[in-house]
Amino acid sequence: MSSRYDRAITVFSPDGHLFQVEYALEAVRKGATAVGVRGKDSIVLAVEKKAAAKLQDARTVRKIVKIDHHITLAFAGLTADARVLVNKARIECQSYRLTVEDAVSVEYISRFIAGIQQKYTQSGGVRPFGISTLIVGFDNDGTPRLYQTDPSGIYSEWKANAIGRSSKTVHEFLEKKYTADGTEDDTLRLSIRALLEVVESGKNIEVAVMKRGEPMRLLEESQIEEFVQQIEKEKKEEEERAKTQRDSDLPTRS
Amino acid sequence: METILAIKLKDVVITLSDTNAGRSIVKMKDDEDKILVLDQHKLLLTSGEAGDRIQFCEYISKNVSLYELRNGYELTMNAAANYIRNELATAVRQSPYQVNLILAGHDSHDGPSLYFMDYLGSMQKMSFTCHGYAGYFLLSLLDKHWREGMSIDEGVQLLHMCIQELKTRFIVNTNYIAKAVGVDGVRVVPLLPAA
């Protein structure tokens, strides 16, 4: 009789799954890849730039956004859903500053965003947000932090992570190559290299770096290109080494 | 009532405020900074009811920050002034904020500019202005000595003239703090020590 939207869309399946949440995760898997790596004094976010249509102004398609002066967010999934969450997060950051007169910690705002994502899996008439986020920043005591949230409302801290398309591949690469307490250069090189595993070229990458006490800085295309060159060289050297290793393992005629 | 004043010069707006914080006959603090830095190119000087001042200023300051984060650039002076005036005017018919303000700042559109606002929601763009009892003593002085396009040195000289006038004729003895805002941002202007 009444068309009130009080029927839940996300309900349990007989075997304990929340299919809407799982479908939302599928939507995330279709989104452009985003990588985050935490170093000793810097944190890097690198995202795959989807080729903009010829007539489109590329500057208006931003996947790395400022939440507060010391917190940056990158997402993978439905851009419009991200807009809503980012707006809520920005308001919360200022509201927190107003009440408590302190900047939010990275953990707090990650918990806040994750809380909203969870709420939308347990409310009537709404569907879950189709995005996962990587939230980076520095706490008041100067510690760098990287957090990830996903459509189910889970959030956890990471040393390095990837979300979006081919995130599994990138994640495996990060697991192999990550070293703790990286310098800014190390962290940049690792994130760009990780992303290059799944994107076509350095032209399709956008990189942001955060350092303690400094605002978020986007890298110029020329700087990214420099790193790409270094990485190509590194890869070649590694290939040569692997080849000579293989050759020396072969039996030789005495 | 507290003294706050602002003067528009060629490239910057120079502002002055007293540093007194007290209740009735007691001077509780004599180093209070009443010139709030709203963002990189705006100063908000407030005088009035103690609690309302802080409450209103912090609320405005956080909303101005939010605008910058959402849009990637600062509000223009005109927009900020109208936003603040709107908040005051909305509140005046329910529970007025008992604050009188001067918004001083710089943007690429108008250069240096300053706006006078009071608790009833009135607003006026001006070349120089003051709130509080200072007005009785200083407006005529500023009328006589202010010219279009003064340099920063002339501006500081004018400020010292104002301070001297208040020291001579105003019953309240207090220290002052001065800040300037221009295209390069905000800085504290050093004042000569009290004679």
Side-chain angles (χ1 to χ4, degrees):
Chain A
M1 258 151 295
S2 60
S3 58
R4 261 182 283 148
Y5 292 96
D6 53 4
R7 280 282 191 82
I9 291 178
T10 311
V11 289
F12 278 111
S13 71
D15 57 347
H17 287 237
L18 286 172
F19 280 126
Q20 280 303 301
V21 174
E22 293 184 11
Y23 298 159
L25 280 155
E26 267 307 307
V28 171
R29 267 178 229 123
K30 288 201 168 32
T33 321
V35 171
V37 180
R38 185 185 82 194
K40 186 158 195 281
D41 301 308
S42 56
I43 324 174
V44 174
L45 279 174
V47 301
E48 177 192 351
K49 237 189 328 187
K50 272 214 173 89
K54 266 208 203 143
L55 292 170
Q56 191 178 53
D57 187 347
R59 292 171 304 174
T60 59
V61 187
R62 276 271 111 90
K63 280 198 47 159
I64 304 180
V65 293
K66 251 171 76 163
I67 302 290
D68 201 347
H69 299 293
H70 64 303
I71 306 228
T72 309
L73 180 148
F75 62 90
L78 276 53
T79 313
D81 283 8
R83 204 173 55 226
V84 172
L85 270 183
V86 163
N87 194 34
K88 288 192 205 249
R90 281 176 172 152
I91 294 175
E92 178 64 18
C93 280
Q94 296 309 310
S95 180
Y96 187 92
R97 277 182 192 264
L98 188 57
T99 356
V100 168
E101 221 172 283
D102 254 343
V104 296
S105 63
V106 190
E107 196 263 339
Y108 177 91
I109 200 66
S110 308
R111 190 164 10 112
F112 176 80
I113 293 175
I116 298 183
Q117 288 186 283
Q118 191 279 340
K119 211 181 297 180
Y120 279 66
T121 68
Q122 216 179 6
S123 294
V126 297
R127 60 160 176 83
F129 286 96
I131 65 163
S132 287
T133 69
L134 288 173
I135 303 158
V136 301
F138 289 86
D139 284 341
N140 276 323
D141 61 0
T143 331
R145 300 224 184 257
L146 163 65
Y147 276 83
Q148 186 217 353
T149 73
D150 72 11
S152 63
I154 298 177
Y155 76 101
S156 49
E157 188 174 359
W158 294 77
K159 297 178 191 139
N161 204 355
I163 51 176
R165 190 168 37 217
S166 316
S167 57
K168 211 151 165 277
T169 319
V170 180
H171 192 88
E172 277 165 13
F173 175 86
L174 287 170
E175 272 187 13
K176 260 191 283 173
K177 298 284 184 175
Y178 177 81
T179 54
D181 291 338
T183 63
E184 186 184 333
D185 251 22
D186 292 336
T187 323
L188 276 164
R189 205 171 301 127
L190 181 62
S191 358
I192 298 177
R193 186 157 171 190
L195 203 51
L196 279 175
E197 297 276 312
V198 296
V199 306
E200 285 137 30
S201 85
K203 300 248 184 307
N204 297 29
I205 295 182
E206 195 165 271
V207 183
V209 60
M210 287 202 79
K211 292 187 76 173
R212 194 172 298 122
E214 287 173 28
M216 186 259 290
R217 178 171 54 99
L218 284 168
L219 257 59
E220 303 268 348
E221 238 186 79
S222 52
Q223 292 171 296
I224 300 178
E225 195 47 47
E226 237 183 85
F227 277 104
V228 172
Q229 307 279 10
Q230 281 179 24
I231 290 165
E232 299 288 316
K233 221 172 76 170
E234 238 175 62
K235 274 202 205 159
K236 264 212 187 82
E237 286 170 5
E238 279 174 17
E239 259 180 52
E240 295 290 313
R241 246 178 287 143
K243 204 161 142 246
T244 52
Q245 181 74 20
R246 269 202 312 272
D247 287 345
S248 71
D249 284 343
L250 289 170
T252 51
R253 273 180 213 290
S254 50
Chain B
M1 257 264 264
E2 298 123 347
T3 298
I4 51 174
L5 84 92
I7 307 172
K8 184 177 79 163
L9 307 172
K10 184 158 185 284
D11 304 308
V12 303
V13 180
I14 197 166
T15 64
L16 181 80
S17 144
D18 71 336
T19 56
N20 223 352
R23 278 286 210 213
S24 168
I25 56 169
V26 179
K27 195 196 292 192
M28 282 198 281
K29 204 170 188 258
D30 66 356
D31 56 2
E32 172 90 346
D33 183 354
K34 296 178 201 161
I35 308 183
L36 178 72
V37 180
L38 261 193
D39 68 28
Q40 248 216 325
H41 297 98
K42 293 182 192 54
L43 293 173
L44 190 60
L45 297 91
T46 44
S47 81
E49 185 66 41
D52 283 0
R53 247 187 61 224
I54 309 287
Q55 193 78 340
F56 186 72
C57 279
E58 287 190 346
Y59 173 69
I60 296 293
S61 153
K62 300 305 177 250
N63 273 288
V64 169
S65 285
L66 187 58
Y67 182 96
E68 193 194 329
L69 281 160
R70 271 194 178 135
N71 299 291
Y73 50 80
E74 295 169 351
L75 275 161
T76 60
M77 274 297 287
N78 191 42
N82 276 287
Y83 167 68
I84 297 173
R85 190 213 79 81
N86 212 317
E87 292 288 336
L88 286 166
T90 313
V92 78
R93 277 179 173 58
Q94 290 166 332
S95 51
Y97 286 107
Q98 301 257 40
V99 281
N100 297 310
L101 324 154
I102 304 176
L103 176 70
H106 186 286
D107 66 13
S108 49
H109 199 256
D110 285 326
S113 54
L114 70 101
Y115 291 82
F116 165 103
M117 276 173 272
D118 77 4
Y119 72 103
L120 294 166
S122 72
M123 181 179 85
Q124 208 60 237
K125 186 164 193 254
M126 324 228 352
S127 303
F128 58 83
T129 188
C130 8
H131 272 298
Y133 290 119
Y136 291 106
F137 302 96
L138 301 177
L139 279 172
S140 50
L141 191 72
L142 291 166
D143 275 332
K144 179 129 171 91
H145 292 281
W146 183 86
R147 293 175 331 270
E148 184 73 50
M150 289 169 82
S151 72
I152 183 107
D153 286 327
E154 292 171 322
V156 176
Q157 219 177 11
L158 187 50
L159 269 191
H160 279 112
M161 245 191 272
C162 294
I163 295 174
Q164 188 54 38
E165 181 64 26
L166 289 173
K167 277 206 194 325
T168 314
R169 287 297 184 187
F170 189 34
I171 201 172
V172 177
N173 184 22
T174 170
N175 288 323
Y176 296 90
I177 183 173
K179 292 187 188 173
V181 56
V183 70
D184 297 324
V186 172
R187 61 184 175 83
V188 176
V189 174
L191 293 169
L192 293 171

